[in-house]
Structures are given as structure tokens and as C-alpha cells.
Amino acid sequence: MGIVFDRESPGGGVEAVCTLENGKVFLEWHFCFRDSEKTERKIRTPLEPDEDFTVEKGMSVRLLLMDAGKEVVLECEAPVCEEEPLRSVLLQPRLWNGLRDPYLYRVEVFLRDGRGRCLDRVSTLLPLRSLEAQKTGEKDAFLLNGTVVCPRMVRYRIPSAGTGANRQRMMLEDLRHLCELGANCMVVERKEGPVRLFLQLCDRMGILVFLKTEAGLLRIYGQERKWNLDWEGAPVLRGTDEGLLSPEYGLPTALFYQYRAKWGKAPFVRIIPESIHRLESGNYEVLCYSNCSRVALYSDGSLFGFQSGEGTFRFREVPARFPGIMLTAEGDGCSQSLSVQKSFLNSHAAS
């Protein structure tokens, strides 16, 4: 039997379990192989006690861990069939810290025969992070690197249709929207599409990925631990009329800006076009979402008024002298303008 790294596994052939202790990270390495002749047979080391697995005598793995500057910071070697997992320790590591610092190391692993010749090689990016569950009443909280994280969660389905390049473009576009939104984790409801590529993109952009199990619990892809997180009320990114992105055009909806006002870091202000309607007085009501603490609204170029608040800013009795309503909302160093014809608003109100 000849073996090679199983590139379809979550880590592409190599995985690391991280434990933090006093500024150090302890790493337990797991390797995933497949039979090069019987591709359906998967092997994960260290082996289970009753697992039947024999390889050529002297086969070993050599592992190199490199920082972003491609400097080797850790090196390991072990026999393939070692009963105990390969363990190592790294001092003063730079941990993956979500959106704030999605730092990735590069790991390269060589599969060698008894003469030291390379039989296979895998290279992948690796986030060093510790994830733990913490019981809080009926639901769990989770700790990232020992710190409780408030989950800003979105439900998502990985694109499965189209060419590989088109799927990757769609995933990148969706993840950019999530970063703009301020989401820090997502729930994938089905294992469809290019899962490993998707996980790599999420690691690069600082987003944690949970998979929904049949029991309604969540788990990190590639891990057995179940998480009882409150995810049912999380918004859906796309695919429904009530999603964060419109199903027709893929553009942010009013709900997107409502969540961005709660989660987003970069200052923004957004006038919601569909919120504008005429009052009995003949003036208009206008809704704005913003993460600024104070928003000013201008009508036809003249200041209408200020409002202070959190997230939602609703202005009433806004005048509009011209056939078109010309509005500008301004926050902390950001602004947005919107022009809508009155006839357009009246026709949509009638329908």
C-alpha cells in the first residue's frame, strides 16, 4: 500500500490542536493520509488502538512551521505509525485573533520513506488559536484564546454551482460583505461546495466557521466538540427575501445596514430609500441607520436637524420643495446622499 496526504481533509493533510498556557502554545499534530491506490480509504494518525494500518518500514513525517516572513520557527519529526501524537511547544506565538488580527503561519509537511526521500508534500496556512466552550445557562459561550467572544453570527450556504473561479469570486464577495458588516462567525447549514477553500478564505479574513449538526448543535469543521450556541435567530446572508443581501442583485438590504449599525467598526451612515413615505402634512419621514452617535440630515441642501442615538435615526416632517427629494445624511466624518422622484414614491405607495 502506498499512502499520500489526504488533501480533502479539513487541514489538507495536517491539523493542529492548540492549548494555551502562560504565553506558550502547545501543539498536538494530527496527520491525514489516504491510500494512493484505494482513494476511498482514509487514515488518520495517531491511529486508533484497533485500526489495521501498515506502511513501509522507516516512513516518517517532517514538519516545518514558518511565520509570515517565511522564517522557520518550529521543526518536528516523527515516525508515521507512532502511537502517541506528535507534540511541540512554541514560545510567544502570534495568535489568530479574528477580525482584529487574522494572523496565519505556514506549515509544510514532508512524507519520507526509510531512505529520507520525499514521497509527498503538503503546504497550507495555519491559524494558531484556542477555542473553548463555557457554560452559561442553557446555551454555551465560547472563548477565543481564553477571552469570551460575543458571537456576531450569520447563516450561510457555500456556493456550489458554476465554475471554480466563479464560486471563489462569489465567496470572496460574500466574505467582504461580512467583514464590512462586522460579523465574526457564521453557521454553514450544509456541507456543499469547495469547503476547504472556503475555510481558508475565512481564516484569512478573520471569520470563524461553525457547521450545523443534525441535532441542531454546532461544531467547528474538523472537530468533534459540539457547541450549544444560540444561532437560530442569526440573519441569513443571501438566498431569501429577508436576507442581508438581495437575492436579485446581491446588494446590501436595509437589514444589512441595521446589523452593520450594531456590529460594524468603520463609521457609516445610510439612508434607507424604501423607508421614505409621505405624511398627512405633505412632508416626509426618513429612516437612517448609522453606527455614529450623532447624525445630521439635510433636505435640498439645507440642514433639517440633528439626532443622537444608537443605530436607528428616524426623522419626521422632512420638507421637500422640488419634484425630487434630495437628502444627505452626515455622521462622524462620513456622509451619504440620496435623490428620489416624488412621482416614484407615489406610484410605489399606490401599488
Side-chain angles (χ1 to χ4, degrees):
M1 178 185 72
I3 63 169
V4 293
F5 288 110
D6 180 15
R7 287 168 174 77
E8 299 302 318
S9 66
V14 57
E15 301 168 30
V17 178
C18 301
T19 305
L20 303 181
E21 184 179 318
N22 299 325
K24 302 183 287 287
V25 61
F26 291 86
L27 298 162
E28 182 176 294
W29 299 97
H30 298 266
F31 303 100
C32 301
F33 303 98
R34 64 175 177 83
D35 190 328
S36 59
E37 298 176 358
K38 300 177 181 179
T39 56
E40 71 280 359
R41 184 178 183 194
K42 311 292 184 180
I43 304 118
R44 179 182 171 91
T45 63
L47 301 174
E48 295 296 328
D50 58 347
E51 189 168 1
D52 179 24
F53 177 52
T54 57
V55 297
E56 178 187 334
K57 183 178 180 181
M59 288 184 70
S60 64
V61 290
R62 183 185 181 200
L63 181 146
L64 301 177
L65 185 69
M66 292 170 280
D67 62 19
K70 298 184 179 179
E71 290 289 333
V72 176
V73 296
L74 177 67
E75 186 171 350
C76 310
E77 295 192 41
V80 168
C81 287
E82 179 62 49
E83 295 180 357
E84 292 294 324
L86 176 61
R87 295 183 176 90
S88 57
V89 60
L90 187 64
L91 303 181
Q92 298 180 342
R94 183 170 173 180
L95 301 176
W96 185 93
N97 201 18
L99 295 172
R100 288 187 291 178
D101 186 17
Y103 186 84
L104 297 172
Y105 287 84
R106 177 167 292 279
V107 59
E108 292 195 5
V109 189
F110 303 85
L111 176 64
R112 304 182 301 180
D113 65 12
R115 300 180 182 178
R117 295 176 300 185
C118 182
L119 302 174
D120 196 13
R121 171 181 177 177
V122 66
S123 178
T124 188
L125 295 174
L126 177 70
L128 296 185
R129 60 193 177 201
S130 171
L131 296 169
E132 299 176 84
Q134 185 181 70
K135 206 69 179 175
T136 55
E138 295 183 359
K139 298 292 184 179
D140 293 337
F142 74 87
L143 285 73
L144 173 62
N145 303 330
T147 302
V148 176
V149 174
C150 178
R152 302 189 294 272
M153 190 172 288
V154 172
R155 287 184 283 168
Y156 184 68
R157 179 170 293 180
I158 301 172
S160 57
T163 65
N166 187 54
R167 289 197 302 267
Q168 184 170 349
R169 179 193 59 78
M170 289 181 63
M171 288 187 290
L172 281 170
E173 184 178 309
D174 289 344
L175 289 173
R176 290 192 186 102
H177 279 304
L178 287 173
C179 290
E180 180 184 13
L181 183 70
N184 59 12
C185 55
M186 65 172 68
V187 176
V188 176
E189 298 195 46
R190 290 188 182 180
K191 292 197 296 183
E192 295 178 345
V195 176
R196 185 170 171 242
L197 172 60
F198 175 71
L199 292 173
Q200 290 175 336
L201 292 174
C202 289
D203 284 341
R204 289 180 181 179
M205 303 186 84
I207 298 175
L208 278 172
V209 180
F210 293 90
L211 288 178
K212 190 183 82 169
T213 68
E214 294 181 357
L217 302 177
L218 303 181
R219 67 179 178 88
I220 297 287
Y221 188 67
Q223 295 185 7
E224 295 302 321
R225 177 190 296 165
K226 303 294 192 301
W227 304 70
N228 187 18
L229 298 177
D230 187 10
W231 64 271
E232 288 87 347
V236 178
L237 183 65
R238 65 160 76 232
T240 70
D241 292 334
E242 298 179 353
L244 298 169
L245 303 178
S246 64
E248 298 88 358
Y249 309 109
L251 297 176
T253 63
L255 186 64
F256 178 94
Y257 292 106
Q258 184 179 355
Y259 273 92
R260 185 180 171 187
K262 295 188 293 184
W263 293 349
K265 298 298 183 183
F268 87 100
V269 60
R270 183 76 180 186
I271 305 168
I272 305 303
E274 54 267 36
S275 75
I276 302 173
H277 67 274
R278 189 175 181 180
L279 303 173
E280 292 183 1
S281 63
N283 294 326
Y284 290 82
E285 183 176 76
V286 178
L287 173 66
C288 300
Y289 289 126
S290 177
N291 55 2
C292 303
S293 58
R294 184 176 167 91
V295 170
L297 185 71
Y298 295 78
S299 177
D300 301 330
S302 300
L303 177 64
F304 170 72
F306 289 95
Q307 274 195 25
S308 297
E310 293 184 2
T312 302
F313 301 84
R314 193 177 297 275
F315 295 86
R316 296 179 59 85
E317 301 295 343
V318 180
R321 300 189 302 272
F322 302 107
I325 300 174
M326 297 182 292
L327 301 169
T328 298
E330 189 175 56
D332 300 329
C334 58
S335 65
Q336 187 233 345
S337 296
L338 173 69
S339 296
V340 184
Q341 289 295 106
K342 293 180 183 178
S343 58
F344 177 83
L345 291 174
N346 293 336
S347 65
H348 276 253
S351 62

